Amino acid sequence: MLLVAPAQAALELRVAIEENTKQVKIGSSTKAIVRDATGQPVGEIAPLNAFVAETEGGRVKMNRWQSNALWVEPTNKGFVWIGDKWYRGRTLVVPTNNGLTAINYVDLERYLYSVLGGEVYTNWPQEALKAQAVAARTYALYQRQTRGNRLFDVGDTIAWQVYRGVETESPSFYNAVDATAGQVLTYTGKLILAAYHAASGGHTENVENVWGPQALPYLRAVPDFDQGTPGYQWTRSFTQPELSNRISGVGQVQSLTPERISPFGRVLTLKVVGDKGSRIMSGAELQRIFGLRSTWFTVTPEGNNKSLPLSFRFDGRGFGHGIGLSQWGAYGMARQGANYQQILQHYYRGASLARIRVR
């Protein structure tokens, strides 16, 4: 399929908003030009109007227009409506194997206006917001290089970076993004995997201890500055039946014992013993199954009923995978007077600030 996009001066990011859906509503806040797959104009959408796009015969149908793909381009800096939200930029709707995919073509910097709103808070110090802007810009471009495909560069969920359109923008985010425009993090001249998380619980982690096996020199464990913040400590309790129902193959759970722990406290593996068997689980697997905030935890059995604990208490620290930038740690460093360059140098060891070139 040949998709010809009209020429654009800035670096546009292709963000998948709706993937493999049966239909999607597309509209515009201002008059919008509708173009076919070759880029030729085929019609217009009136201001504050929208139509449902769907597939028909392997093509996209929207109102009276049909093509192998349809572009919707607002005029006069208008916003596009995709699904249930407003977005900057323009929209491409294409047929896929399982329906339609709607892609938001948006300027990278304006994309970040929204991403910051999905990741941090408007009242944070500007230096912390600038650090987040550089990390998020780098992360998006790294994902574009490594995970992007022929249709889109990134998605809009937490599996990529949270992107909810203009509803999460604010002036403090505009300032942070604009002040760092085009700045990214590199190591030996290449974009880094600028991973980040909410809070580490006092110390970040070496990447290979969580995602293994590759040890990246810039994702090293460092002391954090997130003490006293909302993500620093947590406690969760589960009844013995709750654990037994979610952990298969062992029967009624009798004990959970960490076996391998990273030098910085995170559970790498633990042994689960039940009345019908035992198994080794990773800390990450247990975190996913029970929705724990992190893998930095201890487990304490509580109560007893015929040799079975009544419940298990998880006392933990941190929120997220613990790799790279700690967002609450950046907040803490900024509160202590650090600028965004110092924050980034602390969490991404040996990485350099560089400026992207639009080609």
Side-chain angles (χ1 to χ4, degrees), residues 1 47 89 116 162 199 249 262 306:
M1 182 186 299
L116 262 65
V162 176
S262 83
K306 296 180 181 179

Side-chain angles (χ1 to χ4, degrees), residues 147-201:
R147 294 177 62 195
N149 56 53
R150 67 182 185 88
L151 289 181
F152 58 85
D153 302 315
V154 296
D156 66 343
T157 66
I158 195 171
W160 302 82
Q161 288 186 122
V162 176
Y163 174 61
R164 301 193 186 104
V166 298
E167 70 179 32
T168 57
E169 295 182 4
S170 85
S172 61
F173 301 147
Y174 301 154
N175 293 338
V177 172
D178 293 347
T180 62
Q183 293 181 25
V184 293
L185 290 157
T186 63
Y187 190 86
T188 64
K190 297 180 180 179
L191 288 170
I192 72 166
L193 169 55
Y196 57 86
H197 58 283
S200 75

Side-chain angles (χ1 to χ4, degrees), residues 11-196:
L11 192 158
E12 278 189 310
L13 201 63
R14 305 174 301 165
V15 188
I17 306 299
E18 297 280 353
E19 271 191 87
N20 298 316
T21 186
K22 291 184 178 179
Q23 59 182 34
V24 59
K25 184 172 283 189
I26 305 294
S28 177
S29 64
T30 59
K31 183 182 78 172
I33 307 301
V34 181
R35 301 179 187 272
D36 64 17
T38 67
Q40 295 300 310
V42 294
E44 296 180 355
I45 297 178
L48 296 176
N49 203 358
F51 296 103
V52 172
E54 53 194 356
T55 57
E56 186 172 289
R59 288 155 64 89
V60 180
K61 179 184 178 183
M62 186 173 68
N63 194 23
R64 63 182 182 276
W65 310 296
Q66 288 192 47
S67 177
N68 290 334
L70 288 174
W71 293 90
V72 175
E73 300 176 357
T75 59
N76 299 320
K77 299 181 180 179
F79 301 129
V80 287
W81 181 263
I82 307 174
D84 60 357
K85 294 181 179 64
W86 290 109
Y87 297 87
R88 294 176 181 269
R90 55 203 180 119
T91 307
L92 173 65
V93 185
V94 296
T96 50
N97 292 336
N98 299 307
L100 293 174
T101 294
I103 303 149
N104 179 208
Y105 279 59
V106 59
D107 176 84
L108 172 63
E109 303 301 322
R110 287 163 176 76
Y111 160 81
L112 294 172
Y113 291 164
S114 172
V115 166
L116 262 65
E119 296 289 351
V120 288
Y121 297 95
T122 60
N123 61 351
W124 278 18
Q126 269 293 300
E127 295 305 306
L129 297 183
K130 290 177 187 177
Q132 178 65 57
V134 175
R137 184 182 295 110
T138 307
Y139 189 82
L141 294 177
Y142 181 91
Q143 297 298 320
R144 179 177 181 251
Q145 284 185 352
T146 58
R147 294 177 62 195
N149 56 53
R150 67 182 185 88
L151 289 181
F152 58 85
D153 302 315
V154 296
D156 66 343
T157 66
I158 195 171
W160 302 82
Q161 288 186 122
V162 176
Y163 174 61
R164 301 193 186 104
V166 298
E167 70 179 32
T168 57
E169 295 182 4
S170 85
S172 61
F173 301 147
Y174 301 154
N175 293 338
V177 172
D178 293 347
T180 62
Q183 293 181 25
V184 293
L185 290 157
T186 63
Y187 190 86
T188 64
K190 297 180 180 179
L191 288 170
I192 72 166
L193 169 55
Y196 57 86

Side-chain angles (χ1 to χ4, degrees), residues 162-353:
V162 176
Y163 174 61
R164 301 193 186 104
V166 298
E167 70 179 32
T168 57
E169 295 182 4
S170 85
S172 61
F173 301 147
Y174 301 154
N175 293 338
V177 172
D178 293 347
T180 62
Q183 293 181 25
V184 293
L185 290 157
T186 63
Y187 190 86
T188 64
K190 297 180 180 179
L191 288 170
I192 72 166
L193 169 55
Y196 57 86
H197 58 283
S200 75
H203 209 289
T204 70
E205 188 60 81
N206 288 329
V207 63
E208 66 273 16
N209 289 338
V210 180
W211 292 339
Q214 185 179 10
L216 298 173
Y218 50 84
L219 291 179
R220 300 292 86 198
V222 296
D224 203 1
F225 295 83
D226 62 341
Q227 290 79 3
T229 65
Y232 186 67
Q233 289 182 306
W234 52 268
T235 298
R236 292 283 305 276
S237 290
F238 299 91
T239 65
Q240 192 276 337
E242 284 179 317
L243 259 71
S244 300
N245 289 337
R246 298 191 205 180
I247 299 175
S248 61
V250 299
Q252 297 186 82
V253 175
Q254 297 171 323
S255 65
L256 295 95
T257 307
E259 287 209 327
R260 293 177 54 237
I261 299 175
S262 83
F264 310 102
R266 287 173 178 79
V267 175
L268 304 180
T269 62
L270 74 167
K271 185 175 184 178
V272 183
V273 176
D275 62 355
K276 294 183 180 178
S278 64
R279 60 181 287 196
I280 302 297
M281 298 180 66
S282 70
E285 185 180 7
L286 205 72
Q287 178 188 11
R288 177 182 57 80
I289 292 174
F290 292 99
L292 304 177
R293 287 190 163 195
S294 74
T295 58
W296 191 340
F297 58 79
T298 59
V299 187
T300 305
E302 297 183 313
N304 196 281
N305 180 24
K306 296 180 181 179
S307 78
L308 288 176
L310 293 175
S311 63
F312 292 85
R313 189 183 76 242
F314 291 76
D315 295 299
R317 293 167 61 174
F319 194 168
H321 48 62
I323 301 169
L325 177 82
S326 162
Q327 292 166 321
W328 279 107
Y331 168 87
M333 288 187 70
R335 288 284 300 270
Q336 294 178 23
N339 60 34
Y340 78 96
Q341 296 98 328
Q342 292 169 323
I343 294 170
L344 293 170
Q345 287 167 4
H346 177 70
Y347 290 106
Y348 302 110
R349 309 302 277 186
S352 301
L353 271 175

